[in-house]
Amino acid sequence: LYPLVWMLMTSFKTNVDIRTNRAKFFPTEWTLEGYRTAFEKAPIANWFINSILITVIITLAAIVTSTLMGYVFAKYEFRFKRTLFVLLLATMMVPPQVTMIPRYLMIQKLGLFNTVWALIVPGLVTGFSVYLARQFISDVPDSICEAAKIDGAGPFRIYWSVVLPNIRPAIGSIGIFTAMMQWNDYLNPLLMLNDMEKMTMPLGLVIFNSQRTSDLSATMAAATMIMMPMIIIFVMFQKQFIKGMTMSGIK
């Protein structure tokens, strides 16, 4: 935690304080000048909103699609089920660098280039999330689903009322993994976005840092704003995250 706390403390220092009192951990004089500079010299608010929008949509979509597909793979029998699941797992073995150019060309043909949808659409379904959900749902007893079916519940009601409440650790793990991956994504926004106002926080921070290499206070302030949402999410859902990791490791 020390580097994160040091970054936070540095964001409240003046540039003079940073250079003259490098050994001091706490600011000599507490100031919000770095935060004011960051908001005045760059569209930080737009970057933050873009990152929040992209992360929230993709995370919610990943939870819905992965649990639905995992439910189908775990509890239903159909032709080519094993083949389709193997193909799904195979997508996890393909490095993202291999699909980078085809994805870029597809986004251009769809007319989504330089929009937030260029980042949202490719992230709506992920093979790892489906695999994780399927492993958890496989452990939900078939007898419970059959009892619900006898009581008149349809497939979606069983999914909503029986399956989802029993896989909360998986949902928490999928949510945290997806949110952190999307929030910290730098390469895809670099490829898909051109306009300054449409950029995300990680990409915007690199550009901001390159423009203001001497303004360490503002740079640390911007970096703090990038880190804080993920730290808060991890602290809030730490129990579910650890439980999900432990159970998935046992599987």
Side-chain angles (χ1 to χ4, degrees), residues 87-149:
L87 288 175
L88 179 71
L89 294 180
T91 63
M92 298 167 54
M93 304 174 190
V94 180
Q97 292 81 2
V98 175
T99 61
M100 190 184 305
I101 295 177
R103 187 167 65 249
Y104 174 82
L105 296 175
M106 290 173 66
I107 289 298
Q108 277 198 325
K109 290 183 178 181
L110 289 172
L112 301 177
F113 183 74
N114 200 30
T115 68
V116 294
W117 294 104
L119 303 177
I120 293 173
V121 171
L124 296 179
V125 181
T126 59
F128 173 75
S129 299
V130 176
Y131 169 72
L132 187 62
R134 186 257 187 189
Q135 296 303 99
F136 272 84
I137 296 173
S138 295
D139 284 347
V140 177
D142 293 337
S143 56
I144 298 179
C145 299
E146 291 169 358
K149 189 175 182 180

Side-chain angles (χ1 to χ4, degrees), residues 188-202:
N188 286 315
L190 179 65
L191 286 174
M192 303 297 181
L193 302 176
N194 282 338
D195 293 346
M196 183 73 73
E197 291 77 12
K198 296 179 181 178
M199 292 180 179
T200 58
M201 287 293 283

